[in-house]
Amino acid sequence: MLVAGILQFLFPATVRKPKFLFYENAVDLIHILFNSLFYLTFFGIAASATRRFLVDHTPWLIFDWAADLPLFAQALLMLLLLDFLVYWRHRFEHRISLLWPIHLIHHTSRRIDVLTTHRLHFLEVMLGGIIVGWATSVSGLSRDAISIALLVYIHYNHFIHSNIDVRFSSPLRFILVSPFMHRWHHALDKEGHDKNFGVVFAWNDWVFGTAFHPSHEPACFGLELDQAHEVNESWLRQQIYPFRIWVQKLAALTHIRRQVS
Ligand SMILES: [Zn+2]
Ligand SMILES: [Zn+2]
């Protein structure tokens, strides 16, 4: 995160006052602190127990055949699997109306930079932890390979969120996600909506029809006004938001049923 932070300071895509002058920065820092301590909370313990349950009930190892491959090849396999799973988790979070209120918190930032990486609702941290924990546990790959893949994934995730003026031209743009490509995922501009779900490898977006790679930067970032006014710059309100939406949906459903019966 430190390297990406220095790079975005030296080579900014959007020149602006440092984010630490803004209240929005405090919200990011609270997200970082809580997400770092997440596994010490009840929800972290529940996520670990769920992962353990899923691992115990998975009767096979995904890469059983690859245990004797060189370390580099095993790490690459792990990274490919993680990125594929994250692509689909991310896409479902955008498309399923019950999941969107959770992931929406990541899209509240109007100033995309390296700190935005950690702007996540605790339920998304929980879901991500379960999926990644399950995949690494049933991969059948060596511990060193898994550690390398996770390190690359974490650092690359910081890189794509950083405010660095980096975009890839062909053929690299079909292989790797650039900060430019991920900025379009956070764009308020309509043409960028529900595009560029990948974190490390861009080909999932190109193959599954969600890639968007124009020649210009987005005009602005964040949420549509009708959603943005409901999730203000408060960490606590952001954590409560999905539960509020689910209660509203449940109340509306109950009301409709009463009217029908
Ligand atoms: Zn998203
Ligand atoms: Zn993002």
Side-chain angles (χ1 to χ4, degrees), residues 90 103 106-107 112 116-117 119-120 157 160-161 182-183 185-186 196 198-199:
H90 193 182
H103 180 64
H106 183 59
H107 286 264
I112 307 304
T116 308
T117 320
R119 189 179 276 232
L120 299 169
N157 200 15
I160 62 162
H161 282 95
H182 195 66
R183 274 197 290 281
H185 178 69
H186 283 269
N196 301 352
V199 170

Side-chain angles (χ1 to χ4, degrees), residues 132-249:
V132 170
W134 169 80
T136 53
S137 299
V138 301
S139 68
L141 300 170
S142 73
R143 278 174 178 265
D144 287 347
I146 292 169
S147 300
I148 292 169
L150 287 174
L151 268 178
V152 171
Y153 178 83
I154 290 166
H155 287 295
Y156 205 88
N157 200 15
H158 285 133
F159 170 64
I160 62 162
H161 282 95
S162 52
N163 178 34
I164 306 174
D165 188 12
V166 172
R167 71 181 78 176
F168 300 142
S169 49
S170 297
L172 196 56
R173 72 187 174 116
F174 297 111
I175 300 169
L176 289 172
V177 177
S178 63
F180 168 78
M181 196 170 172
H182 195 66
R183 274 197 290 281
W184 269 105
H185 178 69
H186 283 269
L188 192 52
D189 314 45
K190 279 226 165 12
E191 62 264 44
H193 287 189
D194 295 334
K195 302 290 184 195
N196 301 352
F197 295 108
V199 170
V200 178
F201 299 112
W203 57 58
N204 288 315
D205 280 299
W206 292 103
V207 169
F208 298 113
T210 51
F212 185 66
H213 204 284
S215 56
H216 58 285
E217 289 277 350
C220 45
F221 305 102
L223 297 167
E224 300 281 356
L225 266 182
D226 59 330
Q227 291 176 319
H229 86 274
E230 292 186 56
V231 192
N232 71 358
E233 296 300 333
S234 154
W235 177 84
L236 193 58
R237 277 180 184 268
Q238 290 178 357
Q239 298 302 323
I240 292 169
Y241 177 75
F243 300 101
R244 202 155 56 80
I245 295 297
W246 293 336
V247 168
Q248 283 172 7
K249 282 183 188 288

